[in-house]
Amino acid sequence: MTCVVLKTFLILSSLVSLIYSQNCKWLRPQQDNLNKEILQSFNQMRPLGTSSGTCPQNTIMVPNIDDLYNISQVEEAAIAARDVTNQTIRFYKRNHQKLQCDEKAWERMEKLLDYQLSLLDDCIPEGAGNPQFQQNMSEYFILLQKIVNEEVDTCARTIVQVNIKRNLQLAALLASRMRRKHLLKNIPML
């Protein structure tokens, strides 16, 4: 009896994921343009007169998080993108002035990120989450916050900006990968 219930639950769970991925606006081709606009706005936030030069070798080490983005399911990818987007918005709401970001560029990026969140809503069942990804991303942004709190010089700004940009790029690559996978899955076989 429990085996039948378990199988039924697994089938229903996969159907729910399928329904959500069919309605997922985040998987539409226009998302590539949105990701480009987000990254352009991000690049425009850099304070005028600062260089993107390298910092001395003995600076703060930030962990490599590329492996966190090795995700193969649409729902998990959408959850990851939502978490990165939320963390980025919260971080810059607190720190955009401290980091001397261009105000108009920040406002534009915030609107674009909010719009991205609205697209992700259709992709994620209510209450769904990835606690491990959320925990890792939260710790990552706590480390970036620590860098900002301890020292806001050109080098610290560069470290923070480079790492957040990398997160946004990885989330965009993840979206692109999921979109291709989704499109290939929906191509009718001849």
Side-chain angles (χ1 to χ4, degrees), residues 43-57:
N43 288 335
Q44 292 169 355
M45 286 190 341
R46 266 195 112 68
L48 295 174
T50 61
S51 70
S52 59
T54 58
C55 297
Q57 289 291 346

Side-chain angles (χ1 to χ4, degrees), residues 173-188:
L173 288 172
L174 181 61
S176 183
R177 200 170 69 229
M178 290 299 120
R179 195 169 308 103
R180 278 193 308 275
K181 181 179 177 179
H182 182 71
L183 289 172
L184 290 174
K185 192 167 131 182
N186 292 323
I187 293 175

Side-chain angles (χ1 to χ4, degrees), residues 22-91:
Q22 294 298 325
N23 295 326
C24 183
K25 294 175 186 162
W26 180 64
L27 292 175
R28 294 187 180 154
Q30 298 87 342
Q31 180 65 26
D32 280 333
N33 291 332
L34 178 61
N35 287 331
K36 287 177 187 170
E37 287 183 52
I38 289 170
L39 290 169
Q40 285 173 345
S41 292
F42 182 86
N43 288 335
Q44 292 169 355
M45 286 190 341
R46 266 195 112 68
L48 295 174
T50 61
S51 70
S52 59
T54 58
C55 297
Q57 289 291 346
N58 299 334
T59 60
I60 307 139
M61 293 299 294
V62 179
N64 183 332
I65 50 132
D66 292 13
D67 289 343
L68 287 178
Y69 290 91
N70 287 335
I71 298 171
S72 60
Q73 299 300 315
V74 170
E75 184 181 306
E76 291 293 315
I79 290 168
R82 178 188 63 190
D83 291 344
V84 169
T85 303
N86 278 326
Q87 289 281 358
T88 302
I89 290 170
R90 280 192 292 266
F91 182 84

Side-chain angles (χ1 to χ4, degrees), residues 108-141:
R108 176 157 169 66
M109 189 174 102
E110 183 180 24
K111 286 177 186 171
L112 292 168
L113 292 173
D114 283 337
Y115 179 65
Q116 179 166 284
L117 286 174
S118 73
L119 296 177
L120 286 161
D121 284 343
D122 295 332
C123 308
I124 305 169
E126 192 171 323
N130 181 339
Q132 185 62 47
F133 186 89
Q134 288 173 315
Q135 178 67 31
N136 288 334
M137 202 48 58
S138 179
E139 290 171 3
Y140 187 78
F141 274 88

